[in-house]
């Protein structure tokens, strides 16, 4: 009796268990059918670019002068404000001129006396009132008083300390009432003046960039319509997109063997005076002629150890791993040296959600309409 019950029970529950297993498998399969990961893809673009290389520079004035007196005395007046723009010849300081005026008046009187004697010399010689030797002495004395008068006139003029160049003047380093020395070699520093427009920007260029630049110059692949001047662009620390455009003026005459670099000097207009000497800048110089290049969005680039790669959308809507060799960056896009072709569609958004070989749901991003002009290393 018990054996029959056990046999009956087992036979009864086996179909129930089997039915439960089938239902569970169907539920798990339904759970596995999840939506495909969403990604945004964009085509590889081909455009004409000029490649640039960036360097750190510093603004310096074309002219810079330390203003020092040529005569000694007490400062009587100051005729400028700190930071003022002055013109060449403007009076900056007046040194008390009374001593120099007295010396000048004395030399003027001595000169007039010697001149009158020199005027009478021919008549005295004719009348044999003086000897030839005395006539020569009087002539020498006249020339001496003339030189002394010229020197006194200069000293009197130098009591007005004038701007030797046009530019922006610094503050007065010595104020009214201070004694200043005009002795050569130890003259007092009164102020400084720097020219404003244009300005120089100096930057150290590495040897590799310098050699590439020279090769392009020799091949006559650089230069514009403005007299063959080679353009250079600059931005300050608070600026973007290199708004200042100048030209390369010169390179130094030797390469620094310690740093492996050579000093470049570029010229920039400074009409508004915003380029103050001493400011740090970023400059970029052209290191290629205009040529066609492939460009991809910087967001699309991944790093696998030392290898750069992108994920390419295949015809079956899966993504494939593609190593690439990259070039300079330009406006958020990278030049691709090798690994891609124009028109290839690559993942630009959602890169972290997919892996090579995965099927995806791709949405296309419109290509950038703005034309690409320059590229930077």
């Amino acid at each position: 009796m018990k054996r029959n019950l056990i046999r009956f029970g087992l036979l009864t529950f086996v179909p129930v268990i089997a039915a439960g297993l089938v239902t569970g498998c169907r539920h798990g399969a339904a759970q596995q059918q999840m939506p495909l990961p969403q990604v945004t893809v964009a085509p590889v673009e081909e455009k004409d670019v000029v490649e640039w290389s960036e360097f750190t520079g510093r603004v310096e004035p074309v002219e810079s002068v330390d203003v020092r007196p040529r005569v000694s005395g007490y400062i009587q007046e100051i005729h400028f404000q700190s930071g003022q723009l002055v013109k060449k010849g403007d009076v900056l300081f007046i040194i008390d001129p009374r001593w120099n005026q007295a010396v000048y008046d004395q030399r003027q009187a001595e000169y007039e006396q010697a001149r009158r004697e020199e005027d009478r010399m021919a008549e005295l010689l004719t009348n044999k009132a003086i000897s030839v030797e005395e006539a020569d002495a009087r002539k020498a004395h006249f020339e001496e008083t003339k030189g002394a008068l010229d020197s006194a006139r200069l000293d009197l003029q130098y009591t007005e300390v004038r701007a030797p160049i046009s530019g922006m003047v610094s503050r007065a380093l010595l104020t009214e009432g201070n004694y200043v020395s005009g002795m050569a070699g130890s003259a007092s520093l009164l102020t400084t003046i720097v020219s404003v427009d244009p300005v120089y920007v100096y930057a150290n260029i590495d040897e590799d960039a310098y050699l590439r630049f020279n090769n392009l110059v020799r091949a006559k692949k650089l230069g514009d319509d403005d007299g063959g001047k080679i353009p250079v662009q600059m931005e300050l620390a608070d600026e973007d997109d290199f708004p200042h455009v100048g030209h390369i003026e010169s390179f130094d005459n030797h390469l620094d063997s310690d740093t492996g670099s050579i000093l470049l000097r570029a010229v920039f207009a400074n009409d508004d005076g915003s380029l103050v000497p001493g400011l740090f800048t970023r400059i970029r110089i052209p290191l290629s002629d205009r040529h066609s290049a492939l460009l991809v969005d910087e967001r699309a680039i991944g790093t696998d150890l030392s290898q750069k790669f992108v994920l390419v959308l295949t015809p079956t809507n899966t993504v494939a791993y593609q190593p690439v060799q990259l070039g300079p960056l330009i406006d958020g896009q990278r030049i691709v040296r090798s690994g891609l072709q124009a028109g290839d569609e690559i993942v630009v958004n959602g890169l972290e959600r997919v892996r090579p070989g995965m099927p995806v749901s791709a949405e296309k991003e419109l290509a950038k309409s703005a034309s690409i002009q320059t590229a930077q290393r």
Side-chain angles (χ1 to χ4, degrees):
M1 182 75 178
K2 291 181 178 180
R3 291 178 180 177
N4 291 334
L5 289 174
I6 292 172
R7 187 180 297 112
F8 177 78
L10 289 175
L11 292 175
T12 302
F13 283 101
V14 166
V16 175
I17 295 172
L21 291 174
V22 171
T23 303
C25 290
R26 289 177 179 175
H27 181 68
Q31 285 183 334
Q32 289 178 356
Q33 293 178 355
M34 299 177 63
L36 297 177
Q38 296 282 335
V39 296
T40 305
V41 296
V44 176
E45 301 179 63
E46 185 174 11
K47 294 186 177 180
D48 289 341
V49 299
V50 174
E51 298 181 28
W52 300 70
S53 189
E54 289 188 14
F55 303 95
T56 300
R58 184 184 288 273
V59 178
E60 296 292 344
V62 173
E63 295 179 291
S64 178
V65 176
D66 291 340
V67 179
R68 300 177 186 270
R70 300 189 184 187
V71 294
S72 300
Y74 290 92
I75 297 177
Q76 189 176 72
E77 299 175 18
I78 299 176
H79 288 264
F80 67 92
Q81 298 293 326
S82 299
Q84 178 182 335
L85 290 175
V86 298
K87 295 181 179 180
K88 182 177 181 179
D90 287 351
V91 176
L92 304 179
F93 297 86
I94 292 182
I95 298 172
D96 188 351
R98 289 174 295 179
W99 168 262
N100 300 89
Q101 182 68 57
V103 172
Y104 174 78
D105 292 342
Q106 180 180 352
R107 298 292 181 262
Q108 178 74 35
E110 293 172 353
Y111 169 76
E112 292 296 337
Q113 176 65 29
R115 185 179 61 81
R116 287 193 294 269
E117 291 181 0
E118 200 271 340
D119 289 343
R120 297 176 56 228
M121 187 170 55
E123 180 182 352
L124 293 175
L125 281 173
T126 302
N127 296 332
K128 296 183 180 180
I130 58 173
S131 64
V132 175
E133 290 79 6
E134 186 176 353
D136 291 340
R138 288 188 179 188
K139 185 176 181 180
H141 178 65
F142 169 74
E143 296 295 336
E144 181 181 348
T145 58
K146 182 180 178 181
L149 177 62
D150 291 339
S151 178
R153 182 184 295 109
L154 283 176
D155 287 344
L156 181 59
Q157 292 174 355
Y158 289 153
T159 59
E160 293 183 342
V161 181
R162 298 178 178 270
I165 63 171
S166 297
M168 182 177 292
V169 65
S170 179
R171 69 187 188 280
L173 301 178
L174 292 172
T175 55
E176 294 179 6
N178 282 285
Y179 182 83
V180 297
S181 171
M183 298 293 294
S186 61
S188 305
L189 179 60
L190 299 178
T191 188
T192 60
I193 302 176
V194 295
S195 60
V196 175
D197 184 28
V199 295
Y200 288 142
V201 172
Y202 290 89
N204 287 307
I205 309 301
D206 63 84
E207 184 175 353
D208 177 65
Y210 177 67
L211 293 175
R212 289 180 59 190
F213 178 85
N214 271 352
N215 290 334
L216 291 169
V217 171
R218 283 194 291 267
K220 297 183 179 180
K221 294 182 178 180
L222 294 180
D224 55 23
D225 296 333
D226 186 15
K229 295 178 180 178
I230 298 172
V232 59
Q233 300 177 353
M234 179 190 67
E235 66 181 14
L236 301 178
D238 62 343
E239 295 177 331
D240 297 309
D241 301 327
F242 295 86
H244 306 277
V245 179
H247 66 271
I248 294 175
E249 192 263 352
S250 66
F251 283 90
D252 203 355
N253 60 0
H254 69 284
L255 194 80
D256 189 330
S257 58
D258 294 331
T259 62
S261 63
I262 190 168
L263 189 65
L264 171 145
R265 186 165 77 180
V267 180
F268 289 86
N270 189 30
D271 299 337
D272 59 357
S274 62
L275 302 179
V276 179
L279 286 175
F280 279 103
T281 69
R282 294 287 296 173
I283 71 167
R284 60 185 186 183
I285 65 173
L287 290 183
S288 80
D289 57 347
R290 187 169 294 278
H291 65 283
S292 180
L294 299 178
L295 295 159
V296 299
D297 198 298
E298 181 77 358
R299 299 172 298 166
I301 300 170
T303 302
D304 182 10
L305 297 178
S306 61
Q307 176 68 55
K308 300 294 184 181
F309 70 92
V310 296
L311 295 181
V312 181
L313 183 68
T314 68
T316 58
N317 279 342
T318 60
V319 291
Y321 180 94
Q322 180 60 52
V324 290
Q325 297 293 325
L326 301 178
L329 173 69
I330 166 175
D331 298 334
Q333 291 186 297
R334 277 282 179 186
I335 291 179
V336 178
R337 303 292 191 198
S338 64
L340 294 174
Q341 294 181 353
D344 287 346
E345 293 186 327
I346 59 174
V347 177
V348 296
N349 191 18
L351 192 68
E352 68 282 354
R353 295 194 295 267
V354 295
R355 296 291 181 271
M358 289 181 60
V360 296
S361 174
E363 179 183 353
K364 293 186 178 181
E365 181 179 73
L366 295 177
K368 296 182 178 180
S369 60
S371 61
I372 304 298
Q373 298 295 331
T374 57
Q376 60 198 42
R377 294 180 65 196

